[in-house]
């Protein structure tokens, strides 16, 4: 479950057979108009007010269901913040006819996936399942809409309250810059405004409320007349309508709900705030209040944001990032139902900027430059190209189309806004952009937030003139049982305790792919698909960071960064501008053992896109100024990671597993010391030696036939380069006893705990695959033993899991969780208790069945999108797998026994050799850790990684 805070209007473009115009009248399918730009859908309404949107898409045997309630944190009362998000959690805790924790289990058991999210303006619950499981999803969603409250009790309430607190600690309080959204909201909006608090709420409010308050909130807002049910995919419309009427039709209408009125704000003065935080990079955020979603000025403001700070073509990039003054600088215009904000954000480079006041001067100069420069034709062309591309790519999944329909209907009572959205952006003129700049930005008041390292307030942009307001809370008015006496659940005409039977399991075919070779011997695997007029391609070169010279770790990473920069023929800005107008993307990266190039394009633009790829791949300029800027950015990023608990935990994990003298124990980026030692000649040498076709391969997914793809890629077949090899690993650390490796993160409100040991490298049908099956009941899903223990029973984490992770040559097992700091010892003890119990007893019959269903019935979801198809092809290439390896996996899943799984647990969960890593506040943690009776090794991952482990 996740909480989101920004409402985005999705734009969807369609010119395919699956798209047509439809009337928006109640119960009317409308006349088909093949020239319209839209998604085909049918809309109608039940007698109880539930709005239903249906979309047919028979391209894959799956369905996506979305139930959106028009309630978010904006519907909450002062002093009772966080209710909508809290109830998102409660909606997964069982209902009258569905037992505790069964929503996740039933959907996972059906081969599906599910989640929920909350933002300021809506809460949604969604599932993607094989098409034969649709009725079961409707049974589940209707039960928590109409029959939830009888299952809500004090125990569940207390448990989820602790879970929400842990979520806030993990995502807000224990994260660098995590409080900036809260501070910005308090300064931007007057007290009591629905956007003046965060969706997740204040901890003090969560502590104040009782279970009856929560029930009353549900009764007020979660009726069918305040919900939209959207279903898309491989559906039988008549059968689906009958199920909807059966399961939702008898749920009574809730209290009347009025549509909220927009509440944009103005500021009487510019408000300055400073936050001292555990950060390395100072951050400057300037926020102007603007309009509200779908206001006539929204689209021009979006275009303005793109011109000022939308990538390498923007003025912010030119003046701040390219000049090395900022590590990152962006401008955005997030819009929500009640109000929008125009945000300028820059992460300062401390090596170039002495204070955020200097950065603010550059920003002001940049705004003045824009006013003098005006809006160019390319600015508008880029925006329109990006809109067309993003809308087409948005059609690649049923979930994307369903989410768009649901959002539009919820907020604007019209699911089909596609044509309108495209038209309103295409209609934006240069005069419109300059008008909104002068109206909302030029000389306007704003919230200026400086986030500076602790103890360095002198870095702020200006002295604070606005302090966090002291909250004025009303007298507590707890909801009583008497006030809830009318909370009755409806009588049902059928037995809702009986889960619907699934239909016939849909036939899922592994993507039919073609295989070929280029002139230089490079393998090409491709899938031809007709669902969207798009093409995606990945070029993978084996080696990656394993090719880094000793002492110069990070060369592969830096080389990839520079491949995204200037070429011998074109500037960075010229390349970015050309790609943006095409709606295309070319991105070089280096992660793990691969350097990769990712290309995406509308099919109609593939030839000019590949022409740009040819230029970038074969003619990099490797300019000294680009190198210096990228090198500085990597160093600053590593210094920031040293302040981030999650990054510290991953660094410590890799060092403990693989030792300080092995390349794989260090980040892809290298270390601060190694990056400082790298020269531009090192990058040029790496490119010359390792950007070679000798260990490269290509994957292509799109709506072009094989012959056309190979013709378009002929220039890559002319690529020549040297053969190369890379060394084996050095010896890994061996541990005779279990140790605790402690990384100090002063004042951390949570502890990050890892339990790790080296394990198997990847295989498709051997012990690695079987170990993954074995781990599933232990920690591989929401309903696994470790997660249910630490999250649901103990309430000391937002989530806990375990996994076997393997690549070509290395693998490991890990258990991980972010836990309440004062419960660190409890978490560690419970992790090992679950492992030991599992080794001793093995899985239950129910767990074995659950695992089999989860791993086999999910095939319908595995190959839907071009990205998932490309992932499948890369796996075939990387591990030299046969096309039918999946059949052997299914045979193993269906035949593996409890005794085999128990034996695998005994063989690969060697708990007395597992090492413990804890990142948290050393002063408060030491007494807890010492009571465990194990050696404690203090670890500094950057300063003494070799000494600590050798």
């Amino acid at each position: 479950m996740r909480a989101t805070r920004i409402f985005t209007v999705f734009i969807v473009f369609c010119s395919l057979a699956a798209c047509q115009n439809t009337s928006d009248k109640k119960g009317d399918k409308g006349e088909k108009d093949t020239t319209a730009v839209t998604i085909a859908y049918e809309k109608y309404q039940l007698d109880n007010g539930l709005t239903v949107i249906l979309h047919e898409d028979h391209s894959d045997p799956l369905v996506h269901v979305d139930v959106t309630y028009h309630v978010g944190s904006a519907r909450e009362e002062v002093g009772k913040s966080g209710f909508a998000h809290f109830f998102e959690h409660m909606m997964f805790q069982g209902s009258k006819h569905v037992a505790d924790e069964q929503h996740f289990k039933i959907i996972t058991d059906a081969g599906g996936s599910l989640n929920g999210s909350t933002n300021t303006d809506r809460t949604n619950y969604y599932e993607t399942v094989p098409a034969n499981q649709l009725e079961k999803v409707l049974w589940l969603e209707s039960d928590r809409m109409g029959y939830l409250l009888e299952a809500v009790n004090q125990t569940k309430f207390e448990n989820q309250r602790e879970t929400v607190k842990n979520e806030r600690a993990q995502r807000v309080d224990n994260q660098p810059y995590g409080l900036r959204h809260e501070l910005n909201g308090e300064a931007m909006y007057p007290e009591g405004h629905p956007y003046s608090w965060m969706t997740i709420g204040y901890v003090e409010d969560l502590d104040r409320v009782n279970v009856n308050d929560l029930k009353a909130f549900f009764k007020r807002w979660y009726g069918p007349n305040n919900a939209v049910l959207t279903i898309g995919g491989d559906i039988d419309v008549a059968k689906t309508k009958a199920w909807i009427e059966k399961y939702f039709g008898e749920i009574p209408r809730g209290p009347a709900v009025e549509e909220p009125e927009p509440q944009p704000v103005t500021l009487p003065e510019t408000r300055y705030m400073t936050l001292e935080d555990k950060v390395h990079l100072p951050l400057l955020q300037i926020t102007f209040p603007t309009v509200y979603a779908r206001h006539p000025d929204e689209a021009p403001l979006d275009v303005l944001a793109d011109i000022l700070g939308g990538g390498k073509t923007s003025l912010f990039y030119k003046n701040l990032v390219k000049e090395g003054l900022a590590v990152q600088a962006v401008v955005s215009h997030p819009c929500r139902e009640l109000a929008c904000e125009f945000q300028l954000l820059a992460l300062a480079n401390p090596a170039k900027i002495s204070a955020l006041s200097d950065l603010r001067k550059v920003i002001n100069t940049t705004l003045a430059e824009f006013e003098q420069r005006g809006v160019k034709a390319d600015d508008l062309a880029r925006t329109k190209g990006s809109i067309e591309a993003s809308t087409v790519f948005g059609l690649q999944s049923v979930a994307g189309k369903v989410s768009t329909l649901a959002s539009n209907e919820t907020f604007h009572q019209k699911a089909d806004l596609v044509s309108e959205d495209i038209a309103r952006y295409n209609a934006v003129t240069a005069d419109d952009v300059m008008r909104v700049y002068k109206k909302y930005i030029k000389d306007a008041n704003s919230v200026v937030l400086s986030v500076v390292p602790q103890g360095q307030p002198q870095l702020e942009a200006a002295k604070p003139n606005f302090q966090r307001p002291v909250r004025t809370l009303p007298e507590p008015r707890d909801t009583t049982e008497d006030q809830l006496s009318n909370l009755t659940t409806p009588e049902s005409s059928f037995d809702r305790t009986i889960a619907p039977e699934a239909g016939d399991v849909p036939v899922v075919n592994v993507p039919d792919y073609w295989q070929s070779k280029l002139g230089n011997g490079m393998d090409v695997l491709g899938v031809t698909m007709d669902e969207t007029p798009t093409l995606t391609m990945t070029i993978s070169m084996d080696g990656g960071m394993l090719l880094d010279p000793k002492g110069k770790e990070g060369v592969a990473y830096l080389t990839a960064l520079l491949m995204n920069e200037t070429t011998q023929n074109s500037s960075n800005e010229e390349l970015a501008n050309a790609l943006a107008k095409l709606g295309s993307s070319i991105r070089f990266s280096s992660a793990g053992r691969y350097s990769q190039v990712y290309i995406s394009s509308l099919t109609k633009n593939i030839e000019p896109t590949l022409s740009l790829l040819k230029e970038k791949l074969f003619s990099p300029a490797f300019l000294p100024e680009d190198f210096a800027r990228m090198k500085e950015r990597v160093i600053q990023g590593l210094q920031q990671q040293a302040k981030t608990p999650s990054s510290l935990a991953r660094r410590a994990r890799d060092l403990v597993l693989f030792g300080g003298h092995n390349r794989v124990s260090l980040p892809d980026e290298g270390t601060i010391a190694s990056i400082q030692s790298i020269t531009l000649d090192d990058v040029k040498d790496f490119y010359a030696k390792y950007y070679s076709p000798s260990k490269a391969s290509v994957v292509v997914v799109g709506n072009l036939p094989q012959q056309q793809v190979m013709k378009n890629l002929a220039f890559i077949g002319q690529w020549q380069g040297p053969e190369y090899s890379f060394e084996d690993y050095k010896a890994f650390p061996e541990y005779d006893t279990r140790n605790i490796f402690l990384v100090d993160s002063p004042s951390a409100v949570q502890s990050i705990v890892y339990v790790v040991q080296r394990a198997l490298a990847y295989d498709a049908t051997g012990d690695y695959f079987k170990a993954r099956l074995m781990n599933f009941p232990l920690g591989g899903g929401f309903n696994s033993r470790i997660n249910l223990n630490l999250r649901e029973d103990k309430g000391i984490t937002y989530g806990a899991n375990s996994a076997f992770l393997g690549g070509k040559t290395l693998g490991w097992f890990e258990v991980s969780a972010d836990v309440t700091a004062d419960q660190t010892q409890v978490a560690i003890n419970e992790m090992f208790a679950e492992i030991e119990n599992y080794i001793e007893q093995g899985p239950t019959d129910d767990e074995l069945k659950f695992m089999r269903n989860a791993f086999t019935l999910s095939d319908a979801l595995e190959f839907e999108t071009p990205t998932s198809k490309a992932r499948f092809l890369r796996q075939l290439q990387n591990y030299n797998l046969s096309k039918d390896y999946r059949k052997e996996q299914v045979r193993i899943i269906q035949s593996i026994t409890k005794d085999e799984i128990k034996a695998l647990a005994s063989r690969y969960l060697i708990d007395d050799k597992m090492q413990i890593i804890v990142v948290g506040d050393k002063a408060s943690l030491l007494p807890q850790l010492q009571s465990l009776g194990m050696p404690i090794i203090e670890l500094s991952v950057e300063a003494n990684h070799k000494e600590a482990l050798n």
Side-chain angles (χ1 to χ4, degrees), residues 647-718:
S647 297
L648 291 173
R650 289 190 295 271
R651 287 285 309 273
R653 176 199 65 192
D654 293 345
L655 286 169
V656 169
L657 285 169
F658 305 118
H661 47 269
N662 272 302
R663 176 63 184 94
V664 289
S665 68
L666 300 175
D668 294 326
E669 304 95 313
T671 67
I672 293 172
S674 70
I675 291 294
Q676 288 172 333
S677 72
I678 295 172
T679 67
L680 182 56
D681 285 339
D682 293 324
V683 169
K684 292 178 179 179
D685 185 60
F686 189 94
Y687 171 79
K689 289 180 178 177
Y690 305 124
Y691 272 63
S692 164
S694 66
K695 295 187 189 312
S697 58
V698 182
V699 162
V700 183
V701 179
N703 70 329
L704 287 179
Q706 175 183 355
Q707 183 179 2
Q708 184 63 48
V709 170
M710 296 305 294
K711 180 180 178 181
N712 288 338
L713 296 184
F715 74 95
I716 295 180
Q718 299 170 5

Side-chain angles (χ1 to χ4, degrees), residues 412-487:
H412 310 295
Q413 297 75 55
K414 187 178 181 182
D416 179 9
L417 289 171
V418 178
S419 296
E420 291 183 24
D421 278 322
I422 292 175
R424 69 189 178 113
Y425 281 92
N426 281 340
V428 172
T429 66
D431 288 343
D432 291 330
V433 177
M434 293 306 300
R435 176 181 56 78
V436 297
Y437 167 76
K438 293 175 181 177
K439 182 174 182 179
Y440 300 103
I441 310 303
K442 182 182 180 181
D443 300 326
N445 293 324
S446 62
V447 173
V448 179
L449 174 63
S450 302
V451 184
V452 300
Q454 288 177 334
Q456 300 184 55
Q458 72 277 7
L459 299 182
E460 63 196 5
K463 292 295 181 184
N465 66 355
F466 183 85
Q467 299 297 324
R468 297 189 70 174
V470 177
R471 300 178 68 213
T472 305
L473 301 178
E475 288 296 319
R477 295 180 291 106
D478 292 341
T479 306
T480 66
E481 289 286 353
D482 290 341
Q483 291 173 294
L484 297 175
S485 59
N486 61 341
L487 288 182

Side-chain angles (χ1 to χ4, degrees), residues 11 80 187 222 284 324 538 542 641 656 677 701:
I11 308 168
K80 294 185 176 181
Y222 291 80
L284 179 62
T538 304
D542 198 1
Q641 287 181 25
V656 169
S677 72
V701 179

